[in-house]
Amino acid sequence: MKHLRTTAYSILTLGGATLGGLVLFTHRTARKVRAALPPSGSFVDLPGGRLHVREQGAGPVLLLVHGLGGQMGQFTYQVLEKLAADYRVVVVDRPGSGYSQRPASADLLSQADTLAALIDKLDLGRPLVVGHSLGGAVALALALNHPGRVAGLALVAPLSALPETVPPIFQRLMITSRWQQQLVAWTVATPLSMRRSPQVMKALFGPETPPHDYATRAGGMLSLQPAQFLATIADLEALPTYLPTLTARLPELQLPVRVLYGRHDAVLDWATNGRALVEQVDGATLQLVEGGHMLPITQPDLVARFIRGEVVGEEIEA
């Protein structure tokens, strides 16, 4: 965090022309990203903001919720098409991610409320909710606060416990001052993200290999937008306030819960977030497979089978 504060103050020492050049570069890059990756779905207006949603298929309903710093491309990359033959699959950009608006309040509970409103608006009934990473925490909040709207949970590498330290891949986002967040977002965040992309991808996907088309086909480039950079910071900031309370309520869950984790996940520890979760939920199950954190991208066939209810890995006793 000290390094990031130093970076923010260092930006202020730049000349006006350099500072203006960085802002212009950021603005132009965001515009090019949006032109290259336009919305692939439709927009739904809700009390909690405007959500970008994509639907495909018919049958029992699945609601897919992506993780921190991502967007629906993490599921539309391949998982969506593997499920749409047998299900009505609804994939959403979480508030502030991709092309969804982020209201002033968009913590875990508020995002869960927005998804509950989406379920009502689209007449989804009681879908099976699939959450990846931070999307898993949002799915848990949805099931706890709106149990009548959720048939069950299928969680892939879910965040369910507040980490003692922020994973290294996200530490650069720990900027507490609002003006520093805005300053970094509109000046150096985009060029630094572009320069650090290989290292970030290695940390995010390890020990698996990121696909060559992640930036385009999976929508990874959308994270270069200042608004998404700021939304990711806000998601991280809200976790200490809301996640411990959410975790304490896990025994209240009275619906089927299945968890899938990569044994070598380098972002979230499977025992802390997977085993500890199923130990608190009656009847919950945990499966371990060989792989890392980004299973929806690296192993879409396996994830689709898991969502369908198949046993795809080693079942771990709670």
Side-chain angles (χ1 to χ4, degrees):
M1 187 181 298
K2 179 180 179 181
H3 171 71
L4 288 166
R5 284 198 297 265
T6 302
T7 299
Y9 284 114
S10 296
I11 295 170
L12 294 177
T13 67
L14 297 174
T18 301
L19 199 60
L22 288 169
V23 173
L24 182 60
F25 175 81
T26 297
H27 175 74
R28 286 179 173 173
T29 300
R31 187 174 60 187
K32 289 178 180 178
V33 166
R34 290 192 294 271
L37 300 174
S40 61
S42 57
F43 291 92
V44 180
D45 290 314
L46 300 165
R50 193 185 196 206
L51 292 186
H52 178 223
V53 178
R54 180 171 168 180
E55 290 192 56
Q56 191 170 324
V61 183
L62 304 175
L63 176 60
L64 278 52
V65 187
H66 66 82
L68 181 69
Q71 30 64 51
M72 68 168 62
Q74 294 180 349
F75 285 113
T76 62
Y77 183 78
Q78 286 192 50
V79 171
L80 169 62
E81 65 185 42
K82 295 181 183 300
L83 294 169
D86 303 300
Y87 297 90
R88 178 187 177 189
V89 188
V90 180
V91 194
V92 60
D93 282 338
R94 287 190 302 101
S97 299
Y99 282 98
S100 288
Q101 294 177 345
R102 187 180 184 92
S105 176
D107 53 66
L108 290 176
L109 304 188
S110 298
Q111 291 190 39
D113 291 343
T114 300
L115 291 183
L118 178 70
I119 290 172
D120 291 343
K121 185 73 174 280
L122 298 183
D123 195 21
L124 302 184
R126 296 184 68 204
L128 174 70
V129 180
V130 180
H132 174 241
S133 196
L134 179 66
V138 176
L140 288 168
L142 175 61
L144 285 165
N145 287 357
H146 304 276
R149 293 181 174 89
V150 180
L153 299 177
L155 307 178
V156 183
L159 171 68
S160 66
L162 190 67
E164 293 183 5
T165 59
V166 176
I169 188 176
F170 298 121
Q171 285 182 358
R172 68 184 181 89
L173 300 172
M174 301 306 293
I175 309 171
T176 56
S177 166
R178 292 290 181 269
W179 72 264
Q180 289 181 13
Q181 292 173 5
Q182 291 285 341
L183 179 64
V184 172
W186 283 99
T187 54
V188 298
T190 295
L192 285 179
S193 294
M194 295 170 69
R195 190 180 74 181
R196 295 171 178 168
S197 179
Q199 299 96 307
V200 171
M201 289 297 97
K202 183 177 180 180
L204 183 62
F205 279 84
E208 298 175 288
T209 302
H212 64 87
D213 56 355
Y214 177 78
T216 52
R217 184 177 173 186
M221 285 196 306
L222 290 170
S223 64
L224 295 175
Q225 300 180 99
Q228 183 143 338
F229 177 83
L230 292 169
T232 303
I233 291 176
D235 281 337
L236 280 173
E237 286 181 335
L239 289 179
T241 300
Y242 295 95
L243 190 58
T245 301
L246 193 69
T247 300
R249 294 181 57 201
L250 289 176
E252 298 177 20
L253 289 172
Q254 299 293 320
L255 74 172
V257 177
R258 295 181 282 113
V259 179
L260 176 69
Y261 246 101
R263 189 183 300 275
H264 308 292
D265 192 317
V267 177
L268 295 175
D269 177 67
W270 71 264
T272 303
N273 292 275
R275 174 181 282 161
L277 190 162
V278 300
E279 285 177 345
Q280 297 182 71
V281 180
D282 186 38
T285 62
L286 168 65
Q287 297 180 49
L288 281 185
V289 296
E290 296 300 314
H293 188 67
M294 296 298 289
L295 295 175
I297 299 291
T298 60
Q299 301 190 53
D301 281 313
L302 181 145
V303 169
R305 288 168 49 213
F306 167 74
I307 293 170
R308 290 176 182 274
E310 298 180 29
V311 176
V312 297
E314 178 189 0
E315 292 189 283
I316 304 299
E317 295 290 335

